[in-house]
Amino acid sequence: MTFVGLARFIHFRQREDIVRDLEREHGLSLSTGEVSHLCRRFLGYLGALHEARAPELKRALANDGGWPLHIDATVEAHSRSR
C-alpha cells in the first residue's frame, strides 16, 4: 500500500506503470483496480494520521514562527531575466 501510495501521489505514476513496477520489482501481480483501491486506503490512513497528529503539527508550526506557505520558485532557464 505504501509503495503504491508513494508511487501515485509523490512520483505521479500512472496505475499501469505502478502495476508494471510491482511486478518487476516485487514479483506482485495486481490489477489497476486493486492499485486504485490501495491508493484510496493510503489516503485514508494518511488523513487519519494527519488528524491524529494535528496538535503536534500545530505546535511545531507555532514554535517555528508561523505557518508555511507554498511558493513556486521554479523558473525555466530560458525565461530568466538578466
Side-chain angles (χ1 to χ4, degrees):
M1 179 185 56
T2 302
F3 180 92
V4 169
L6 293 176
R8 186 77 171 117
F9 301 115
I10 300 297
H11 302 292
F12 309 108
R13 306 282 295 173
Q14 296 299 314
R15 293 179 316 150
E16 293 81 5
D17 298 329
I18 295 169
V19 166
R20 282 192 297 273
D21 292 346
L22 284 168
E23 177 68 38
R24 186 182 65 247
E25 295 178 30
H26 302 286
L28 297 173
S29 178
L30 299 179
S31 68
T32 55
E34 183 63 20
V35 168
S36 293
H37 173 72
L38 291 170
C39 286
R40 285 189 297 274
R41 287 185 65 192
F42 178 84
L43 289 178
Y45 284 124
L46 185 62
L49 177 62
H50 179 80
E51 277 192 41
R53 297 294 186 219
E56 291 92 338
L57 290 169
K58 187 175 181 177
R59 278 194 298 278
L61 290 170
N63 290 338
D64 197 31
W67 304 100
L69 299 175
H70 174 79
I71 299 173
D72 185 359
T74 55
V75 176
E76 299 296 326
H78 62 276
S79 68
R80 290 185 185 167
S81 301
R82 294 187 184 212

